[in-house]
Amino acid sequence: MTQHVSEKDVRAIAEYARIGLTDEELPAMTEDLNAIIESLKPITEYDLEGVEPTFHPVGDLSNVMREDVEGTSFTQEEALSNAPKQQDGSFLIPSILGGGEA
């Protein structure tokens, strides 16, 4: 198998990514990364002559969200009208951290 990255490269990558890598793990990680890079080799065989690079694979996208325009909304009473439990004008929900009653 072709050696694309050395153990020195893998150690530098691990340090940069702040991944704790022991001396015992280094050879296996180097072998794994080289195998991954080798498995991607067929991608380099595509003829990409004249293909323009794109930021997004779908092409020229633009923001499709609508303008943020204020509209009519519920009153507090309408919003709370179907709430199973409410307290002091707010929704009353079970505590997710425990210790509370709802």
Side-chain angles (χ1 to χ4, degrees), residues 4-101:
H4 299 282
V5 292
S6 67
E7 287 187 3
K8 181 180 176 186
D9 296 328
V10 174
R11 183 168 304 286
I13 292 167
E15 287 176 14
Y16 182 76
R18 297 184 180 184
I19 297 172
L21 196 61
T22 66
D23 291 336
E24 293 78 30
E25 295 170 321
L26 188 60
M29 182 61 71
T30 303
E31 185 177 329
D32 288 347
L33 285 175
N34 279 303
I36 291 168
I37 293 169
E38 189 67 27
S39 73
L40 297 173
K41 189 175 181 179
I43 293 173
T44 65
E45 297 171 4
Y46 289 109
D47 179 18
L48 300 176
E49 186 68 34
V51 177
E52 292 292 321
T54 60
F55 174 77
H56 194 281
V58 178
D60 186 28
L61 290 181
S62 60
N63 189 352
V64 294
M65 299 181 75
R66 64 175 171 77
E67 292 293 320
D68 189 13
V69 179
E70 184 178 334
T72 59
S73 60
F74 295 115
T75 65
Q76 185 175 13
E77 293 77 25
E78 290 172 322
L80 292 171
S81 65
N82 289 322
K85 294 184 179 182
Q86 51 182 293
Q87 179 180 353
D88 301 325
S90 299
F91 293 99
L92 187 61
I93 59 170
S95 172
I96 61 169
L97 300 176
E101 295 293 325

